[in-house]
Amino acid sequence: MGTFKVDLGINNGNGGATQWVQAQVDTGASYTALPSALLYGQVGIEPQQERMFTLANGSKQLFAIGEARFYVGDRQGTSPVVFGAEDTYLIGATTLQVLGLIADTTNHRLIPAPELTL
């Protein structure tokens, strides 16, 4: 699968300012993951729980998770966000599903999902 980046807006969903970043589309990741310093300090999101994740290299790691409001193009929605390492900017499958978007890896863009499954 080809990889690409998109502009991603994020805020705390409570009237806080929206921060914009470039994030890698990663449909193999369940959740969106962004740097902890961005989530805590700039956006004002607090962790709500911790969960164990299996990383791409097969190792397991415990991460904090919060809830964020995301913006991509004209789409917006609330989805879990993982408090990741300082160089982690990933949009995962759950956020894409919430926003009704799918990855067009040929043209390196996100497009509206033609339909959702139930």
Side-chain angles (χ1 to χ4, degrees):
M1 175 177 104
T3 61
F4 59 96
K5 293 182 179 181
V6 297
D7 291 329
L8 176 68
I10 179 171
N11 69 36
N12 63 17
N14 295 322
T18 300
Q19 298 290 319
W20 288 89
V21 298
Q22 281 269 303
Q24 185 82 30
V25 174
D26 186 352
T27 58
S30 297
Y31 289 165
T32 294
L34 295 168
S36 294
L38 170 72
L39 297 175
Y40 280 126
Q42 296 177 19
V43 181
I45 295 173
E46 294 291 329
Q48 298 172 345
Q49 60 179 304
E50 290 185 333
R51 294 191 68 186
M52 187 66 69
F53 289 85
T54 301
L55 305 181
N57 67 7
S59 66
K60 296 187 183 309
Q61 189 170 342
L62 189 66
F63 286 98
I65 301 171
E67 196 75 18
R69 185 144 199 92
F70 292 103
Y71 302 83
V72 174
D74 65 349
R75 305 287 179 114
Q76 60 178 296
T78 303
S79 177
V81 63
V82 173
F83 287 72
E86 296 314 303
D87 61 347
T88 303
Y89 292 86
L90 299 174
I91 303 174
T94 300
T95 301
L96 294 176
Q97 290 173 343
V98 165
L99 298 176
L101 297 169
I102 58 173
D104 174 358
T105 56
T106 302
N107 297 303
H108 299 121
R109 62 188 179 145
L110 294 174
I111 59 174
E115 60 185 48
L116 299 175
T117 56
L118 184 61

